[in-house]
Each structure stands twice: as C-alpha cells, then as structure tokens.
Amino acid sequence: MEGALAVKTVLIVVIVALCGAVPTTSPSQEELSKAQDYLSQFFSDVGVSAPSSVLRSSLDSFDDTLKKMQEFFGLEMTGQLDSNTLEVMARPRCGFTDVTRYGHFNGQPKWDKTVLTYRITDYTPDLSQSDVDATIAKALKIYSDVIPLDFKQIDSGTADIMITFRSREHGDFAPFDGEGQVLAHAFSPGEGVGGDAHFDEDENWTLTSAGANLFLVAAHEFGHAMGLAHSQVQTALMYPTYQYVNTEGYMLPDDDKQGVQAIYGIRTTSAEPDPKPQPRPDPDPEPRPNRCSRFLTFDAATSIRGNLYFFKDGYFWTRSRSWDGITMRRIQSVWSEISKVDAAYEYKRSNTVIFFEGDHYWKIVGNTLLPGYPKPLTDFGFPPSVTKVDSAVHVSFTGRTLLFVSNKYWSYNERRGRMDAGYPKVIHTEFPGIGYRVDAAFENKGYLYFSYGSTQREYDYNRRRAIRTLLNYKWMDCN
C-alpha cells in the first residue's frame, strides 16, 4: 500500500454531517469508531485503533495520535475525545494527511513542462458547459498568475490533467459514495493519472455558497495536482477543512502562493536585466473619455446580466439595472488581455458575452475569458475581407445576432452556430430610419438602439421603424 501511495496520492475531500449534541463525557462506540477512521486516514501512516478495555497497546496508539491531531488544530492536547475534538472531526475537509504551513508531497513531485494541457471529458448537468469551462479555467488561472506554468484546454486525446464528473465506482479504485460525503479527489503530478481530478456527480455543483462550490473545490484540487499538500494556516486554500468564501476576484492566498512558488519559481511578465526596473514614463497619457460630452460616441455597447455596458477608448461605463449611478473602469482591469472593444453582444441562453477586437473575437463567461480565444473572425463565419466588426446586437426572440460592418450587416444563427444564407445585406434598406452605418448597438426593454456618431435611434424591430432620436450621453446620468 505504501508503494502505491508513493506513486500517486489521492485527494479525497470529505464532507461529513455535523453531529447534534456533542457529548462532553464518555464517547459512544460509534463516535470512537468514527474517530479511529478519522485518525487512521489523516494522522497516521499505518492506522490506529480506538481505545479498548482489552488491548492496551491500541489505547496508547489512539491517545498519541489523537494528541497529534489536537496539536495540529490548536486544541487542548487532552488525548481524549472531548466535544471540541469531535466538532473539528465533523468539519468538511480534504483527504490528505495534515502538515504545518504549506506542504509538498514526499519527493516533491512537479511538472517538468511549462504548458499543461487539460481536458474535461464529462460535464455535470448542474451547470452549463460554458460555466464549467469558465470555472475550471478560473481555478487554474490563480496558479498560472503566480508561477511560470500555463494551461491549455483541449477537446480530444489525452491531456496532462484529465477532468471528469462521475458517480460511485469510476475506475480508479476510489469509488465515490453519493451525495454529502466525498466531493472529489485528484492525483499529484506525474505520468498516467498524475494531475487528474475527479468530481462526484452525485453532489450539487454550484457557483454560489449553496451545495458544493465548483471553483473552490477545483482550486483546492488543482493545488494538489500542482504538488501541494495541506497547510495549517486557516486562511490558506490548502487548509484541510472546506468552507465557502466569496470567489469574486479571488487570488491565491500568500501561504499557498509561497508553497507553489517554492516548487516552480515566481512568474515574471518579462525578462528584465535590471533587478530594480524603473517604470517607463508616459509622456502623453491618454485622457479618460468624458461621459457627459454632448458629442460622446461609443465604440460598443451591450447588456450583460441586466446591466448596460458602454465601451470607449479602452474604458467602459456600467449602468446598473438596480440604480441610476454610472461606474467607469479600464477594460484591462477586468479582462487583462483585451485593450479595446469594437463590438459586443450577450447571448443569454448560454450565459456568454462575445467581444470583437480588430480581426479577432473573444468569448467570455462572467469575467473569465474562455480558453482557446481569441479566434479569427473567419472562425465566426466572416469572409477574409472583414477585418473589423463595427457593432453587434442579439435579438432574443429571433435567436439571431446582427453584426454590422461598414454599410452592411450579417445575421448569425446562434442555435446552429453559423451565418444565415443571403447575407450581407444593406443596412439602410433593411432598417429604414437608422441611417447607413452603426457604431454601437444594444437591446433594452424590448427596443433596439443603434448609435452612429453622437446620436442614436430607438428602433422597434417588430414594426421595422425608428421611434425617436437620442444623444448617446443621455444614458450617462448627466444633467
């Protein structure tokens, strides 16, 4: 068994039901049995036996190992199954043995390459495929942000990291046990199943605090897949017990960061010969666009999760559906690889947003850029002559996305994933009243809005007529 563990170490995240009234006196036989299993799995290489009136050697082994467990979790080292100890044993946790601070596996296994491939072979029906793709990419990105490793998703063949959602027996001699107990397990770096991660399909996978949060579980799993063991630091991602934390803007905690960098080194964005490089001065910084200018033009506009986004010169404004305030941010502060947005639209059915920038486009879920992007416009169905999309808007009740280029437009069938036949068509003949070109387009409360220059037309798509003319800056809460 030791030889097998030396080859591959399996991470088992255990979720156990909290006990009701935890006794402070003599523990029951069931509690002793559970404690024996707990200590055998997490604090002993050879296993321990519960106290017995018959076997004194078993009692000594149990007491000594119990004290190790109590010391690790900062409990009073009584060597007894008191209420505090039983409560800690009942917490959700991971299946590796426990160490202090960050830890590495014996022999410190690591990947000897700089680009790791991963493949998701089975998806959970609890979430959309795009949500799973984005969440897995986000969980891996917290590591690639701090170490010189990159991750690339592939759709076929054998990847370095194979990811699957399965239930019960699934071929690795570590069967899942149904909802509420083992959440997932993974393997340390190596050949074969090394780095692979398996998730229990019987769990309720979510992106919230309910059920099992896929991002947090996956991020912990991938820590083991990178070569990390457990940490005693309670705020560390690799702390043994699982608990939900807010995942928005989540970054790898310092303890985990130090641990993984001890294996792979520190990620640097570029090779700088000067150990203390000075920031390059910007002699002519570009001023922020003025949202209240009567001559305001938009590069792009779209709705995203009920809010309106307006893009201009590397920035974007957000108009929230819940209040009338306007916030402004730099595009790269949210989507680091995108410097400018020429056109954008939201496809609510798959919870995705498409950004067009020059001759390529990006697909995004939430604030996460999906792997494999950007892709060229030709992959979207445009002819090679199209090198820039001026604007785009999705019309939900037709299932079509309208894409405007110069004085023409295309119609894209989202369900079939291809352009409709017979396009492009001329804008001013098909959309009378909106003019000859469109800089930005979006949908709001059943109407389409087409902007060109500083003005826009509110358009009734069903009646094919312009309702009124507005100025762009009217959306910006200006007096």
Side-chain angles (χ1 to χ4, degrees), residues 82 153 167 225 321 332 349 393 416 455:
D82 52 47
Q153 184 176 11
S167 58
R321 61 182 172 181
Q332 289 187 323
R349 187 181 181 89
V393 61
R416 294 187 176 183
T455 62

Side-chain angles (χ1 to χ4, degrees), residues 163-215:
I163 301 166
T164 187
F165 291 80
R166 295 285 185 89
S167 58
R168 302 295 176 173
E169 176 60 56
H170 54 284
D172 64 358
F173 304 103
F176 290 128
D177 55 4
E179 183 179 4
Q181 295 293 314
V182 178
L183 287 180
H185 55 233
F187 298 84
S188 58
E191 298 296 326
V193 296
D196 293 356
H198 304 159
F199 298 84
D200 187 354
E201 184 43 57
D202 287 331
E203 304 299 336
N204 176 31
W205 295 104
T206 74
L207 302 179
T208 66
S209 59
N213 183 277
L214 180 58
F215 169 75

